[in-house]
Amino acid sequence: MEKKLMLIDGHSILNRAFYALPDMTNSKGLHTNAILGFLNIMFKFLDEEKPTHFAVAFDLSAPTFRHEMFKEYKGTRKPMPEELREQVPVIKEVLKAMDIPLMMEEGYEADDLLGTMSVIGEQEGYQVRIISGDRDLLQLATENVQIRIPKTKGGGNVVEDYFAEDVMETYGVTPKEFIDMKALMGDASDNIPGIPGIGEKTAAKIIKEFKSIENAYEHIEEVMPKRAKNKLEEFYDQGVLSKELAAIKLDCPIELSFDDAKLNDIFTGEAYQLLKQLEFKSVLKRFDGEHGEEFSVNLKKVSELDEADRIFSKAKKCKAAGLAVYHEQEYTSLGLCIEGTDTFLFQTEGFLTRDYLIGQAGELYRTVPRVSMMNVKEFLDELSLSEDDKSIFDAALAAYLLNPLKSTYEYDDISRDYLGIMLPSKKELLDKKKSIFEEGKLLPEGEQIIGYEAYVACACIGPLRKKLMETGMLSLYEEIEIPTMVALHDMEVRGIHVDRKALKEYGDQLIGRIEELRELIYKEAGEEFNINSPKQLGVVLFEHMKLEGGKKTKTGYSTSVDVLEKIEHLYPIISYILEYRQLTKLKSTYADGLANYISDDERIHGKFNQTITATGRISSTEPNLQNIPARVELGRAIRKVFLPEEGYTFVDADYSQIELRVLAHLSGDKNLIHAYELEQDIHARTASEVFGVPIGQVSSIQRRDAKAVNFGIVYGLSAFGLSQDLKITRKQAQEYIDKYFETYPKVKEYLNREVEKGKKEGFVTTMFQRIRPIPELKSSNFMQRNFGERVAMNSPIQGSAADIIKIAMIRVNMELKKRKLKSRLILQIHDELLIEAHDSEVEEVKEILTREMMSAAKLSVPLSIDIHTGNSWYEAK
DNA sequence: CCGATCACG
DNA sequence: ACGTACGTGATCGGT
């Protein structure tokens, strides 16, 4: 059998992987992207090459001169980012656990070890493959030594392969001559001086002709061009030195024997454990079952009624249970886990009807102190649950509070983060299948999913509650989030009435003008194209028509509003485009988009999501009812089709500047608090202070600017952002900011304090102890860190406001229900509540809204609301 | 499936 | 010198 030696240039590949993959951490916060990328590259080449021998080379100490690590920085000696540095010892540990030899020698660089090993290998009759991202290694290529350079190219991964002849073909020089070329050119990042004034082109020309520096020097008179000749003559010694530096050493003392490098089974138990801690599911899949006492749920299938009865009555006596419920048409599957030990699976069959199963599940809530599910909101109705049921536990909601930055809160996420158990996800188990059912039968994968879900829901109760307690968020969870879930559920069920016909008419009325604008745009452009395509539009505007103000972004020209508005006064086509954009947006997203969501009851039942935002706000989908047009009249008009049901009236209440009031409270700034105590126009007041004019003489422009500054403060102000918004210079923006902070000094102190706290603790909190982790503050990337600082300033403000409206929402909703009113809460739009009030209850509803919203939190400034009624959402706002 | 754009607070 | 306002979701075009 052919002997094949594969070598990996450790730091080089690790470095490649680090920059190729997006930032990634495991649940303990360890950065893992480079390790994962390295392993994927390693496996790819192992699969491809099937080597008999394998080793990885590393520089022993921190990389010194000739190293890829620094080249990414084009010669500037920035240190390795911390995010990468911490991964270096870990990958070494993983490789050791895989029984893969590491080549490291004090005083030698990885290149030298690779070079020496490849020479010996070739002498011993091996085929040698060297995997590296570093082109310098090309000098090692021979007939039997291939350099393989993985690259990312246009989304895909490609490999450049070089035997000696490939180097010849690509560069026109032999691998050995490659050294001379580099010696002539020099390389700042490797500290190789080279010959000044000789670059890649000249170097190639000289070496092609004379084969080496020495030979070129011997024939110095023939060296062309003249300039190169003179330089070579003058700096010859430096060139020879450079050659020494550029040449990879081929004679290192290497302790590693080929026996040691023999490729053994890398799928060891030790490696399995490490990869599990790293949470590399995809890599773990390569291991066959025997290594990790694989976690499994002992799922007991129950099909007899008397057995089911026995289990449910036993369950009713327990302390904690977990449920997982899935429906498909008339079929229902129910997973039940008792005390985190016994897990059962029930399905609709025989005497086990849906009514029985769901009825029993609902019963558990009456006797078991804690019943846990993953997303209870969807099941509140069928389980007959309300905000009064204290046994409700929602694992997803608890996990969201503990880390609101996750994208999903499925059982596998929670199991990994809070139980330390890696489970296959729903997605992985189902693979391509879209449902856990097939032809009314629960698939075997479905059984597993339900088993895992019920188990995790139950087993995580303890850990999650403990963490909620430790972080001081238990009462936030119990008193705000759980009741909020009920209120959201109520709103989803109720929906909002939409006049289908009026919506259609609204859309139709846009068509004519859209067509007209399209023609005008084609006429101005002198060609027809897809106006909706930013790419085509950019080309037409800035290339064909040669309008000024082009360029931006990597994908082409930016055609966003702020770019177009700058040149709007110069060209009529720009106004047409802006209007066209506005109208088509209204047509496709709102007129047509909303129409698709109107149910048979003529209402839209959107979803309100409680585990999406990083700050604690609610989000709205299918459709998004929180971004219905309001700012521009034409768009705002769409609110005329949102109507109360016959006999009802809309009552709409929104907080007035809740975020600024929260800021006044949190900062304790006397001046700001005083302004609100006097119920002054805060923007005018700010303008007066910042621009130094009496409050009565503030111009509308000054007020507008001050308003932008106030907004900016809440967003974590930067001079640049403000200057963009107000279309002023950065210097001016900075002056506004400085004056603002002079006026409200405590605000500045407060914002700084939050940033400091974020840096120290890794997170910031709201008035009600909601946490927002800010990993960006630890980033070595300037921009990321900057972003983190703004987040630290904004999150407590936006988050506290979100807490407050949740409280108001809960109380309003409960009060309406408690008083058995016909009126109902139907929408929440961040600082606004919309109620469909029975005509006879309008005054009572207004009182409830006013009282509950204003008293939702006790701040050092009053909370104030605007409240309106109307026969459409348009009128009520 | 991602980026650009734009709707909201 | 860097290249930014905070938080969302839907639609479209283009890969």
Side-chain angles (χ1 to χ4, degrees), chain A residues 306-329:
Chain A
D306 55 348
E307 196 190 357
D309 274 335
R310 260 203 320 279
I311 291 166
F312 279 116
S313 34
K314 186 180 157 215
K316 278 171 201 158
K317 295 188 197 90
C318 80
K319 295 260 187 320
L323 290 174
V325 178
Y326 284 84
H327 297 304
E328 165 142 313
Q329 291 167 21

Side-chain angles (χ1 to χ4, degrees), chain A residues 439-603:
Chain A
E439 290 162 16
K441 275 307 252 185
L442 185 62
L443 295 166
E445 297 89 338
E447 293 180 5
Q448 280 194 68
I449 289 171
I450 293 178
Y452 284 142
E453 190 172 315
Y455 168 77
V456 172
C458 187
C460 72
I461 299 174
L464 286 174
R465 281 186 60 92
K466 181 157 172 270
K467 288 231 170 186
L468 285 173
M469 231 144 12
E470 286 166 3
T471 51
M473 289 196 289
L474 192 62
S475 51
L476 172 69
Y477 169 80
E478 289 178 337
E479 287 158 39
I480 297 186
E481 294 304 324
I482 291 288
T484 292
M485 173 183 74
V486 178
L488 296 179
H489 162 263
D490 290 344
M491 297 197 298
E492 289 179 1
V493 171
R494 292 165 191 149
I496 181 165
H497 177 225
V498 171
D499 184 337
R500 197 190 289 269
K501 206 163 130 258
L503 182 60
K504 173 87 165 58
E505 280 162 15
Y506 176 83
D508 289 345
Q509 148 243 307
L510 297 171
I511 297 174
R513 180 64 181 156
I514 289 174
E515 292 299 327
E516 206 175 319
L517 286 164
R518 178 183 295 137
E519 292 309 319
L520 283 166
I521 290 165
Y522 290 160
K523 191 155 151 268
E524 287 290 329
E527 62 181 311
E528 299 199 353
F529 61 101
N530 189 343
I531 308 166
N532 290 327
S533 160
K535 195 178 169 193
Q536 292 181 38
L537 182 61
V539 172
V540 169
L541 291 182
F542 300 116
E543 285 179 18
H544 299 183
M545 298 181 68
K546 301 193 181 357
L547 307 193
E548 56 185 277
K551 270 296 173 224
K552 255 196 175 180
T553 74
K554 49 203 126 246
T555 47
Y557 300 98
S558 169
T559 65
S560 63
V561 237
D562 32 304
V563 172
L564 295 188
E565 272 175 354
K566 286 201 183 85
I567 53 171
E568 187 176 4
H569 63 285
L570 297 173
Y571 315 101
I573 191 175
I574 301 297
S575 310
Y576 300 148
I577 290 166
L578 290 172
E579 192 185 349
Y580 176 88
R581 281 244 180 97
Q582 194 200 348
L583 298 194
T584 50
K585 177 92 175 182
L586 291 174
K587 180 82 167 72
S588 61
T589 303
Y590 297 103
D592 300 346
L594 288 174
N596 293 325
Y597 289 100
I598 305 178
S599 313
D600 292 341
D601 60 1
E602 302 300 312
R603 300 175 78 89

Side-chain angles (χ1 to χ4, degrees), chain A residues 724-765:
Chain A
Q724 286 287 299
D725 193 44
L726 289 178
K727 299 173 179 53
I728 56 177
T729 65
R730 256 162 72 176
K731 192 156 171 289
Q732 263 182 303
Q734 190 58 52
E735 281 169 22
Y736 286 8
I737 293 169
D738 292 343
K739 282 196 195 135
Y740 179 95
F741 284 136
E742 273 173 41
T743 311
Y744 305 113
K746 283 278 177 53
V747 170
K748 184 175 188 176
E749 286 173 32
Y750 165 73
L751 295 174
N752 288 340
R753 225 165 36 236
E754 289 300 319
V755 171
E756 283 317 306
K757 192 196 160 214
K759 285 190 172 155
K760 190 153 162 277
E761 315 263 358
F763 62 89
V764 292
T765 50

Side-chain angles (χ1 to χ4, degrees), chain A residues 86 90 246 265 330 379 494 564 592 605 715 743 746-747 872:
Chain A
E86 68 179 28
V90 185
D265 180 19
E330 66 270 34
F379 302 100
R494 292 165 191 149
L564 295 188
D592 300 346
H605 301 267
Y715 292 158
T743 311
K746 283 278 177 53
V747 170
S872 70

Side-chain angles (χ1 to χ4, degrees), chain A residues 401-468:
Chain A
L401 286 188
L402 291 168
N403 183 359
L405 302 184
K406 297 261 168 193
S407 49
T408 57
Y409 299 90
E410 310 235 6
Y411 67 79
D412 56 308
D413 302 300
I414 293 175
S415 160
R416 158 169 43 65
D417 294 347
Y418 301 99
L419 303 176
I421 300 171
M422 293 293 286
L423 292 176
S425 70
K426 223 187 264 194
K427 215 177 148 196
E428 285 164 332
L429 286 169
L430 286 179
D431 203 20
K432 301 270 180 284
K433 303 181 195 70
K434 42 200 172 316
S435 164
I436 67 169
F437 293 97
E438 210 162 70
E439 290 162 16
K441 275 307 252 185
L442 185 62
L443 295 166
E445 297 89 338
E447 293 180 5
Q448 280 194 68
I449 289 171
I450 293 178
Y452 284 142
E453 190 172 315
Y455 168 77
V456 172
C458 187
C460 72
I461 299 174
L464 286 174
R465 281 186 60 92
K466 181 157 172 270
K467 288 231 170 186
L468 285 173

